[in-house]
Amino acid sequence: MAFGVGPGGRARPFGRAEPLRVPTTTGSSGAEAKPRPTDRPILLLSVQRGTLSIELDAPFAVGPLVATELAIALPSVRFPVDLTGGVTRFRHRRGVLGRLAVSARTEDLAAFAAPRARGVLGEGTPEIGIVATEVGLRVGMRLGRAALAFDVVIAPNERDVRLVPERARGMGLGAPPHVLALRALAEVCRPFGRLAGSAVILPDAVASLVRHVMPAAGARAPSVHGARWEAPDVEEMSLSLRADATASPPALPAAAIRAIEQAELTADADAIAASGDLEEARRRYLLALERAPRHPEISARIAWIDVAEGERAEAALSTLVDAIPAIDAGLLGGALLAAIGDEGGAIAAYARAAHAEAFGPLAALVWLEVARISSELATRLDALDQAVVRSPSLEDARWARLEARLDVGDAQGAQADAEHLEAGARGPEARHRIWSRAADAFLSRGYVAEARVLFERALRYAPDSPEAALGLALSLRAAGEGRRALDLLARAASLAARAGRTLPSVEIELARALVEHASDRPAAIARVRAIPPGLAQTAEARALEGRWRAELGDLAGASLALARLRDAAEAVSPDDPDRAAAVAAMLVEAADIEENARGDLRAAQRHLGVAIRLRPRDRQIGAAFRRISTELGRAAPAPPPQAAPPPVPAEEIAPSDRAPSFTPPAPSVESARSIDEAPTNEEDDENDEILVERLTDKLRANPRDHEVALRLADALARLGRDLELFALLSARIEEGGEEVRRELWPRRRAVLERLAETARAEGRPSEAELYEMMAASEED
């Protein structure tokens, strides 16, 4: 199978890399200790079958490997021979390698690989776990929220050793897992190994080992002609390799042969993928898939590339399901099903993969993903429990379960998680951070008494922490102890100032306390004014300053502070809904102050315009903006009448240019009757100003008269009263059906474009951008 374990199989969990431990004897009856590898090879002479040989007397460590056997025949030495002098006498003779055996413990391999894999998953040294399998090794790597696991098939070939990675999978990676597996394996084996297609090759590993061991012992390296590797010998926590001059070609198991065939199929594509050209690699994988249709591993590598490139979930799923059902495709299947919105299928695929995953940290991250995508509380809590069980030291799992337990009211369980996190922390700084974060989580969910105790624990490890003092003050204030909270807030500000820092949260909360418990608004204003622009708390500080200045009667200062609030709100993104809602509420309050306290409708409109940008679907903000715009339109002065040309003096007019003077005759009875009986057209014969008033009265009497509304819109357009026209059209669109919306949208878009052009011409770019944004939304 391409993913998970075989039917009926059982995953053996990884162990963390431990330092090398050598068993020692315990008393006279204790078991004999295994020989400890020496710092320098110790050789001895032996005679076997009439041939003098040099052999290794004790194990010798070669990096993470241990040479346990080494026998070099000296066929040029004839008997009888004087053995006086021992090995020293024969060390310069060139012998022939008879046998070589090396072994490695998985703990030693993990400790060796970790620093060399730095940079594969990100900055930092990853945690690595390795276990032995029937055909090689199973490797797991984790760094933060990124984890990678893959199998390494060890396939000796004469004197070379091939390391073939397969079944790569991972979470939180920025590249396809197989590409990272190839890079990790190549980095760990450098400089002795080289990446060749789908495998890392250790060329002539037999010769490399004896050339390292023998010179270290002061002897000449032997000839390795005829020596070849045998199949690996795998034990539970170690593996060993043996090379022998009389060995037959290695009899590899079926899984190793299958991995070699697969590596030959994908050699070109894997080499290109490792170089970073994923699009060309994908094309080569497709060619390989034509040669080996429905190959599970090749299909998976194509799908992983589509996942890494993004926005190709459907294509990746189509490729994958031709070879294997998505629910059986492990982490890849879960990721693809989640991307297309199949929550149930994604959870089932992730759960199956997590149960089969041997690398505990990766399994824990998979359970965290299940908790993230699950909409059912019971499933989420069970997934978090599984994550903690699979990797108890994974802090992200503990924190996620702590917060989930608080959400369901399990404060005791959350407290237990916090204590586990503290037990795993090292040093007072780390423990302070844990208790501070836990206390914040408790306080934000209303556990005031528990939060107070936790903040006190945080202060135990860092008594001069202004953040912890702030948290304790907020807990006290929530418990009704406002005076004590004020004292603690003042202490927090003092601690921050002593450290040369300005903490905006401390300044804001201290200012609030000064207003609530000391009624000292001037001092509170001084506190919030000290918060510089460009911070997350800047908008709140400017809103509070404007509110308190208005309460003191300093309306000019309040208007200036609120204008700075609007500037700070421009930097807030609507994509952050919580922050956008909070800042929009501040802007609505600012508009109310400008309208009711200062009577500045233009400033109120600007505040509401920015609020609409942050909350475009908020009907109350939209209604307030239209109301202000309508009032502004009504208050706008009518355009002055065109001045009549100055009279020309009569003496300057030539006689020939003078018109004959005559008195118009009185109209006859018939002509007077024709004038009185002529039909009156309101739009042609009456002034537009009077027409607007008459049509407005008619529309108020019958708001459903659509024809009157259209005639009123035409009259407002002719008068250039665009703000009133915009308010009228917006109201008709909201109250009408889809047909009315389609009819009036083009008119409202044209009005918005004119308003934007006018605002930009008058030097109001932010208001112009608002109108332009609203006009652009008409096209959606």
Side-chain angles (χ1 to χ4, degrees):
M1 296 180 65
F3 294 87
V5 295
R10 184 178 180 183
R12 182 165 70 249
F14 283 83
R16 292 193 62 178
E18 299 286 345
L20 182 64
R21 293 185 176 90
V22 180
T24 59
T25 58
T26 306
S28 58
S29 62
E32 183 179 353
K34 293 182 180 180
R36 185 185 184 93
T38 60
D39 295 334
R40 179 177 178 181
I42 301 175
L43 304 178
L44 55 79
L45 292 177
S46 68
V47 178
Q48 293 183 1
R49 298 178 182 179
T51 302
L52 185 65
S53 299
I54 299 177
E55 297 186 4
L56 193 63
D57 184 42
F60 174 63
V62 184
L65 307 177
V66 176
T68 56
E69 292 185 51
L70 177 62
I72 300 170
L74 301 175
S76 61
V77 177
R78 304 296 181 184
F79 286 92
V81 62
D82 183 8
L83 299 180
T84 305
V87 175
T88 304
R89 183 173 180 179
F90 301 97
R91 63 182 181 178
H92 296 301
R93 290 180 179 267
R94 182 170 176 79
V96 178
L97 179 66
R99 66 182 182 278
L100 169 68
V102 294
S103 66
R105 300 199 313 168
T106 54
E107 294 91 342
D108 298 337
L109 291 174
F112 175 82
R116 288 163 178 76
R118 183 183 180 91
V120 174
L121 299 183
E123 295 297 328
T125 300
E127 169 192 353
I128 293 185
I130 299 178
V131 297
T133 66
E134 295 180 356
V135 293
L137 301 170
R138 184 167 293 144
V139 182
M141 308 169 57
R142 184 188 73 89
L143 182 65
R145 294 299 293 265
L148 171 70
F150 56 94
D151 293 351
V152 178
V153 177
I154 301 177
N157 179 22
E158 295 296 333
R159 296 200 299 268
D160 298 343
V161 176
R162 289 171 295 182
L163 307 177
V164 183
E166 63 173 4
R167 294 184 60 246
R169 63 266 183 207
M171 295 286 292
L173 307 176
H178 187 71
V179 173
L180 295 179
L182 282 170
R183 292 175 183 172
L185 201 55
E187 289 297 324
V188 171
C189 295
R190 193 183 305 274
F192 306 105
R194 57 181 175 82
L195 184 61
S198 302
V200 173
I201 306 295
L202 301 175
D204 205 355
V206 175
S208 298
L209 283 169
V210 298
R211 287 171 185 166
H212 185 84
V213 174
M214 296 306 291
R220 185 176 182 183
S223 169
V224 296
H225 180 71
R228 61 165 57 95
W229 291 108
E230 299 177 358
D233 183 16
V234 179
E235 298 180 5
E236 183 176 1
M237 299 301 293
S238 66
L239 60 86
S240 58
L241 282 171
R242 179 184 295 270
D244 199 297
T246 62
S248 302
L252 299 176
I257 295 174
R258 187 165 55 248
I260 293 172
E261 287 295 323
Q262 174 184 293
E264 292 178 357
L265 276 172
T266 60
D268 292 342
D270 285 340
I272 294 172
S275 69
D277 190 353
L278 295 182
E279 288 300 322
E280 179 61 21
R282 188 182 190 279
R283 190 181 72 83
R284 298 292 182 96
Y285 282 129
L286 288 172
L287 295 176
L289 198 59
E290 292 179 3
R291 297 168 55 196
R294 299 191 177 184
H295 194 293
E297 183 70 12
I298 298 176
S299 300
R301 292 181 191 179
I302 295 173
W304 275 118
I305 289 177
D306 289 336
V307 170
E309 291 295 310
E311 311 231 343
R312 296 182 182 176
E314 290 77 9
L317 196 58
S318 175
T319 303
L320 184 64
V321 297
D322 282 343
I324 184 174
I327 200 171
D328 295 329
L331 307 187
L332 176 59
L336 294 177
L337 291 171
I340 65 172
D342 186 354
E343 178 185 321
I347 290 176
Y350 275 138
R352 184 173 299 185
H355 281 302
E357 180 57 56
F359 186 45
L362 176 56
L365 290 176
V366 177
W367 285 119
L368 283 178
E369 184 65 15
V370 172
R372 187 188 69 82
I373 66 176
S374 176
S375 58
E376 296 183 2
L377 183 59
T379 303
R380 181 186 174 205
L381 289 173
D382 179 67
L384 293 174
D385 288 339
Q386 294 279 1
V388 173
V389 169
R390 290 306 307 272
S391 185
S393 63
L394 185 63
E395 289 191 3
D396 290 337
R398 287 280 183 188
W399 282 117
R401 192 172 71 170
L402 183 150
E403 293 174 356
R405 283 176 164 178
L406 288 176
D407 290 338
V408 299
D410 185 7
Q412 186 175 0
Q415 176 81 16
D417 278 327
E419 290 173 354
H420 275 285
L421 288 164
E422 184 202 23
R426 294 294 178 266
E429 294 83 4
R431 296 192 173 197
H432 166 73
R433 286 194 298 270
I434 286 173
W435 286 122
S436 294
R437 180 174 173 181
D440 285 333
F442 274 80
L443 181 60
S444 64
R445 289 163 176 82
Y447 294 92
V448 176
E450 293 84 351
R452 174 178 176 177
V453 174
L454 297 184
F455 277 121
E456 289 173 349
R457 287 192 184 182
L459 285 170
R460 179 191 310 167
Y461 291 107
D464 292 335
S465 170
E467 292 86 355
L470 169 63
L472 181 56
L474 295 178
S475 302
L476 291 171
R477 187 173 67 184
E481 301 183 35
R483 289 293 178 181
R484 289 191 59 194
L486 180 58
D487 293 340
L488 268 175
L489 287 169
R491 171 172 168 73
S494 175
L495 290 173
R498 189 186 308 167
R501 302 163 55 196
T502 299
L503 296 181
S505 299
V506 172
E507 298 296 330
I508 287 177
E509 294 303 330
L510 178 56
R512 288 181 183 274
L514 286 170
V515 172
E516 294 174 6
H517 302 288
S519 299
D520 192 350
R521 286 176 175 76
I525 291 172
R527 287 286 179 182
V528 295
R529 284 196 63 187
I531 298 176
L535 301 179
Q537 298 85 356
T538 299
E540 183 180 7
R542 301 298 175 261
L544 291 174
E545 180 185 355
R547 177 196 300 172
W548 294 331
R549 284 184 180 274
E551 291 173 354
L552 289 173
D554 182 9
L555 298 181
S559 180
L560 182 59
L562 296 176
R564 291 171 179 167
L565 161 65
R566 188 173 65 246
D567 294 339
E570 294 285 358
V572 178
S573 172
D575 296 333
D576 186 354
D578 294 337
R579 178 161 169 72
V583 175
M586 299 175 198
L587 290 166
V588 171
E589 181 184 359
D592 180 70
I593 292 174
E594 293 288 2
E595 178 186 6
N596 297 317
R598 296 187 67 245
D600 190 341
L601 295 180
R602 178 69 66 181
Q605 183 195 41
R606 292 177 183 175
H607 291 312
L608 292 173
V610 180
I612 287 178
R613 182 185 69 83
L614 296 177
R615 302 277 290 175
R617 299 184 182 278
D618 193 308
R619 302 179 69 88
Q620 293 183 350
I621 297 177
F625 180 81
R626 289 192 300 274
R627 179 181 58 79
I628 294 294
S629 300
T630 301
E631 293 182 10
L632 272 173
R634 291 174 178 173
Q642 186 175 0
V648 181
E651 57 272 12
E652 294 184 7
I653 302 177
S656 59
D657 294 335
R658 294 177 183 174
S661 60
F662 68 97
T663 302
S668 63
V669 174
E670 295 180 355
S671 61
R673 186 182 300 114
S674 65
I675 294 175
D676 293 338
E677 295 178 356
T680 60
N681 188 326
E682 295 174 330
E683 293 174 316
D684 295 333
D685 302 333
E686 293 184 4
N687 183 278
D688 280 335
E689 293 287 349
I690 300 175
L691 179 61
V692 165
E693 294 180 4
R694 296 185 59 187
L695 292 176
T696 300
D697 293 337
K698 287 185 178 181
L699 192 61
R700 288 173 180 169
N702 184 11
R704 297 184 179 181
D705 193 333
H706 190 58
E707 292 300 324
V708 171
L710 292 180
R711 292 167 60 194
L712 176 59
D714 293 337
L716 290 173
R718 288 194 299 271
L719 290 173
R721 292 161 63 171
D722 287 334
L723 285 174
E724 293 180 63
L725 177 58
F726 170 68
L728 171 66
L729 296 176
S730 298
R732 301 301 299 180
I733 288 174
E734 286 188 5
E735 296 169 1
E738 185 63 28
E739 183 178 352
V740 173
R741 295 177 64 185
R742 285 197 300 268
E743 178 184 5
L744 297 184
W745 268 0
R747 291 195 182 202
R748 189 166 76 163
R749 183 167 56 247
V751 173
L752 288 168
E753 291 172 352
R754 291 199 302 270
L755 287 171
E757 183 179 357
T758 302
R760 197 171 294 280
E762 295 178 0
R764 303 192 302 274
S766 60
E767 184 178 340
E769 290 176 3
L770 169 66
Y771 291 134
E772 290 167 354
M773 180 189 68
M774 297 174 68
S777 68
E778 300 293 308
E779 302 173 1
D780 297 339

